[in-house]
Amino acid sequence: MTVSIDRDREVAIVTVDNPPVNALGQALRQALWDAVGTLDADATVRAVVLICAGRTFIAGADVTEFGKPPVPPHLPDLVDRLERAAKPWIAAIHGSALGGGFEVAMGCRFRVALDSASVGLPEVTLGIVPGASGTVRTPRLAGVAAAVELVTGGRPVKAAKALSLGLVDAVVSGDLRAEAVAFARQTLTQPLMQPLPQPISARPITSPDPAWWDEQRQAIARRARGEVAPLRALDCLRTAAEKPFAEAMAFERATFLDLRASDQAAALRHIFFAERAAPKPAHLGDARPKEIRSTAVIGGGTMGAGIAAALLDAGLPVVLIERDEDAVQRGLANLRAIFDGAVKRGKLTEAQAKARLDSVTAGSDHGLLADTDLVIEAVFEELSVKRAVFAQLGQTCRADAILATNTSYLDPRRIAEGLPHPDRFVGLHFFSPANVMKLLEIVPTPTTSPETLATGFALARQLGKIPVQAGICDGFIGNRILKRYRAEAETLVRQGIPIAAIDAAMRGHGFAMGPFEAQDLGGLDIAYLQREGARAAGQDVPETLGDILVRAGRKGQKTGGGWYDYAPGDRLAQPSQATAALLADHISTGPGLTAEAIASRLTGAMATEGKAILAEGIAQRASDIDLVEIHGYGYPRWRGGPMFEAERKASQRSV
Ligand code: 3H9
């Protein structure tokens, strides 16, 4: 870590160089603290530019320090010292000024940002609140409404928006250092005509009325679904708006320290680091990915169209192959529907949607694949159908084209049997809707080359997905745990726990839906057909309660009923007499369970399956399993995933 000071005549330039992201560890805080003293004492310095080396401005407090006791100088004191410095400091922002980084920038008298930069206060995404005046200075700088959005949502804003909100004073392009020095010089000439702006802590603030705060609280509580930090951040912001600066700072600090030690913050830190570790598995070594410039998807159904959309969103051209002209048109219609939806929701402009569709070549002729770098198969989940596709791909594609299957249950080794150059074959398991869901399970076979595996990981990066490597077993990581989860939920039903109580308990745990509601939405027949397939192949698959319902025609919402009943055109789940009658012989009466006990049983079953998956080497790390559950199956992020929760519970029991 270095903090260096150099000079452009009367302007001092303080450069922070603390790779990778200039996080504010103790040594950096101390060095900045000392720099203020040095420059205050230097009578030849009239203004100071604070700039960073490397890819970004200060990206926040050093998250790795959060498990340890805070060591001075504390960040709020450093921000305060910057604000009281005898000379005006100007933050020169490139990359991201986040969390503590933006708080340091708010300690400066001015903020100049490069046009590509972002600023924000993402602390709630780590289960904490800004702890160095973010909740107290931001509303004084940008107004209460903007501060509430920025702090409780945690989403950074781009430079242009930051300027319009008053978060930065100028947006520049080109040479940031030169621009910031020029800005500093300009401010030095101004005091003759116009005084420097007040330090942010001294600026006035007006609180909206109590009804406004109540509305914000309700809206945030609805979004947060059990996550505490956004609501605690709102408390801090309200205190900032209603109480004197010092009192609000004390309240923010106490809230920050309380949350920093919380289970939710520990869980969110765990996921923060897990997400950064997942794309870089050590065993890839120096295997170099192949460059992917052209792609193809075989199959234009829901999954295939979603995968094609994900590729197009990443700027890759796509060849979409279907078996005949009608199917080609259906595939294109599926793709169009995805982009139309994105335009309606304001995610894409008409022009962007059109550009994506213009990058698609669709047809039934495999000759279109002759020069494609990557082909992803997403046809019907049946071995013979998939094998026929790969037999054809083996003949039509370049020998070095990467060939991937999107199977979710079948054995990729069997799909690839007989394929020439099987080293370029890999499983890439997307989750539906594939253009939205972040998870990508990457499933190598014993013949997959390191280069092909590395290409899978590089593709995930290109698509903005979280890659997790999975070994071969029934359901890989995610669907294998899902099976266990559903089986445990059925066990509870057999023990007399009401279906609705189980779903409510899982919603209470932070899931958007319980296991039975989710099956009704997706359709019970999908898993049923898999079980029937396995039974037909001679496997001993015990009858499930879901089988009984499907055989009675209850496949979920699409048939007007599954575990629940649904009125026509209505998605509201109603307890079902018909289901109760069908299952009556399989349900015993037993003692009830609290919602907490139900959730603990189900998440515990997931963790038990996860441990088996780890022991068998199907997953590389426990944290990968947590990522699969969070990004593929709606496990609440702030719980850290089933493996983290189980580990945390075990360690809390042992103290
Ligand atoms: C805070 O500031 C609290 C204060 O309000 C109050 C305090 C009193 N600390 O993401 P990348 C590592 S809370 C430590 O792949 P990118 C990361 O683990 C903080 N390490 O890069 C990775 O390490 P490795 C609020 C950090 O270019 C490497 O840097 N701030 C931190 O794709 C590269 O990371 C945030 O939440 C950190 N704060 O994206 C910002 N940040 O190479 C979090 C990153 O060993 N950071 N690392 O795997 C980010 O959002 C992104 O890192 C950023 C760059 C956008 C900056």
Side-chain angles (χ1 to χ4, degrees), residues 66-78:
F66 281 5
K68 307 167 196 160
V71 181
H74 302 301
L75 197 51
D77 300 334
L78 173 63

Side-chain angles (χ1 to χ4, degrees), residues 20-21 23 55 59-64 66 75-76 96 98-100 103 122-123 126 128-132 253 256 272-273 276 280:
V21 295
R55 64 200 208 233
D62 186 340
V63 179
T64 59
F66 281 5
L75 197 51
S96 310
L98 298 177
E103 290 170 319
E123 283 86 343
L126 290 165
I128 53 175
V129 296
R253 184 74 183 161
F256 168 78
F272 177 89
F273 287 113
R276 279 154 182 85
K280 306 175 247 188

Side-chain angles (χ1 to χ4, degrees), residues 33 87 119 195 238 319 419 629:
W33 184 273
K87 328 283 164 74
V119 307
R238 185 166 183 175
V319 175
L419 183 73
E629 290 307 312

Side-chain angles (χ1 to χ4, degrees), residues 207-222:
S207 181
D209 58 38
W212 186 87
W213 288 107
D214 291 345
E215 263 169 45
Q216 299 301 313
R217 171 159 286 278
Q218 281 161 20
I220 293 167
R222 266 196 306 277

Side-chain angles (χ1 to χ4, degrees), residues 454-519:
T455 309
F457 277 90
L459 179 76
R461 230 184 341 269
Q462 238 174 317
L463 304 188
K465 303 230 176 270
I466 308 272
V468 169
Q469 186 169 327
I472 298 174
C473 66
D474 187 23
F476 311 128
I477 299 174
N479 281 338
R480 177 166 157 183
I481 293 177
L482 178 65
K483 208 174 188 179
R484 176 71 177 255
Y485 170 58
R486 287 180 173 169
E488 189 68 11
E490 285 203 2
T491 303
L492 289 177
V493 174
R494 287 177 196 272
Q495 291 171 357
I497 310 296
I499 292 165
I502 298 169
D503 280 335
M506 296 319 284
R507 271 185 270 110
H509 201 69
F511 284 79
M513 265 182 262
F516 300 111
E517 296 159 328
Q519 286 179 66

Side-chain angles (χ1 to χ4, degrees), residues 55-289:
R55 64 200 208 233
T56 180
F57 189 77
I58 299 166
D62 186 340
V63 179
T64 59
E65 285 185 355
F66 281 5
K68 307 167 196 160
V71 181
H74 302 301
L75 197 51
D77 300 334
L78 173 63
V79 174
D80 193 49
R81 184 169 164 88
L82 282 163
E83 194 179 71
R84 289 166 192 266
K87 328 283 164 74
W89 280 55
I90 294 112
I93 299 169
H94 77 292
S96 310
L98 298 177
F102 187 59
E103 290 170 319
V104 161
M106 284 196 287
C108 297
R109 198 58 69 97
F110 299 98
R111 288 147 296 283
V112 174
L114 211 50
D115 47 9
S116 54
S118 314
V119 307
L121 293 157
E123 283 86 343
V124 292
T125 65
L126 290 165
I128 53 175
V129 296
S133 81
T135 68
V136 190
R137 281 193 171 87
T138 314
R140 285 174 164 78
L141 181 62
V144 173
V148 165
E149 190 173 339
L150 206 67
V151 176
T152 65
R155 271 179 305 279
V157 293
K158 293 271 177 217
K161 174 98 188 279
L163 183 66
S164 72
L165 293 174
L167 294 166
V168 299
D169 302 286
V171 173
V172 299
S173 52
D175 182 343
L176 177 62
R177 178 183 158 124
E179 293 289 343
V181 169
F183 185 96
R185 213 154 260 146
Q186 198 191 336
T187 66
L188 292 176
T189 59
Q190 269 181 4
L192 298 174
M193 298 160 286
Q194 182 186 330
L196 285 178
Q198 280 190 311
I200 297 170
S201 64
R203 295 187 196 176
I205 182 166
T206 318
S207 181
D209 58 38
W212 186 87
W213 288 107
D214 291 345
E215 263 169 45
Q216 299 301 313
R217 171 159 286 278
Q218 281 161 20
I220 293 167
R222 266 196 306 277
R223 277 202 311 269
R225 250 196 244 131
E227 195 172 345
V228 299
L231 285 167
R232 299 284 299 271
L234 188 73
D235 292 340
C236 292
L237 287 154
R238 185 166 183 175
T239 307
E242 293 177 347
K243 302 277 193 261
F245 183 83
E247 202 176 316
M249 283 298 294
F251 186 79
E252 181 196 76
R253 184 74 183 161
T255 308
F256 168 78
L257 290 175
D258 180 33
L259 288 181
R260 203 182 81 137
S262 68
D263 282 351
Q264 292 199 7
L268 288 163
R269 277 201 300 278
H270 161 72
I271 294 304
F272 177 89
F273 287 113
E275 284 172 348
R276 279 154 182 85
K280 306 175 247 188
H283 66 274
L284 277 185
D286 51 8
R288 289 180 66 82

